[in-house]
Amino acid sequence: MSFYSDQAKQFEQMADDIETRLTNEGSTLDDASYGKLEQQRDTLQDKADVMITADVQAALGQLKIDQTALAKCTADLVHAVKAVKRFDQIAAIVSAGVSLATAIASANLGGIASGIAGAEQAVAAAVKPPADAKS
C-alpha cells in the first residue's frame, strides 16, 4: 500500500522471526529472557498493526466514499446476520461482508463499490420473502 505498510510488514516479519526463535530455542532461555522476548514480539506486532491501521485510515481519508451508503450497507449486513435463520444465507451474507471489509482495509475504491453492491444483493436475497408467500 505505502511505505509505512511496507515498514509494518518488516516489523511483522521480525515478530515472526522472534516467534520462530522462541519455538525452536526457547527451552534454552531462562524465564526472564523468554518473557522479555515474548513481550518484544507482542509489542512489535502491536506497533505494526497500528502502522497498518494508520496507513489504511490515511488512504481511506483520500477516497471519495459515500459514507452514508457504506454505513447503511454495514448496518444491513449486521442486522441480516442476526435475523436470517438459514445457514447458507448467513454464509452468503458473511462472505459479502468479508469481501467488503477486505476492500475497505485495502482502501480500494472500486472494490468498496463492488463490495457494497455484493453485500446489498446478498442481504436482499436472504431477507426477501419466499416466492410462494402470500402478501
Side-chain angles (χ1 to χ4, degrees):
M1 182 171 295
S2 79
F3 174 77
Y4 295 104
S5 287
D6 293 340
Q7 294 304 299
K9 291 200 182 306
Q10 296 297 316
F11 289 116
E12 286 176 334
Q13 182 59 55
M14 195 182 321
D16 289 345
D17 292 343
I18 291 170
E19 177 60 30
T20 300
R21 297 289 296 264
L22 287 171
T23 300
N24 294 338
E25 302 166 31
S27 62
T28 65
L29 298 172
D30 60 85
D31 289 344
S33 297
Y34 189 94
K36 183 172 181 154
L37 279 174
E38 271 187 320
Q39 182 180 19
Q40 289 172 326
R41 176 208 57 208
D42 294 346
T43 300
L44 280 172
Q45 186 63 53
D46 291 346
K47 298 304 178 187
D49 290 345
V50 169
M51 290 171 68
I52 290 170
T53 299
D55 191 39
V56 168
Q57 288 173 339
L60 287 169
Q62 295 175 5
L63 298 178
K64 303 293 185 225
I65 297 173
D66 183 347
Q67 293 180 350
T68 303
L70 179 58
K72 180 185 179 312
C73 179
T74 303
D76 289 349
L77 285 168
V78 170
H79 175 73
V81 167
K82 292 178 183 174
V84 171
K85 303 292 184 224
R86 288 185 24 207
F87 178 77
D88 61 323
Q89 292 173 325
I90 293 171
I93 293 166
V94 172
S95 178
V98 168
S99 295
L100 178 57
T102 301
I104 292 169
S106 66
N108 177 333
L109 185 57
I112 293 169
S114 294
I116 289 172
E120 288 172 344
Q121 290 172 353
V123 169
V127 297
K128 72 178 180 182
D132 60 351
K134 295 183 180 180
S135 301

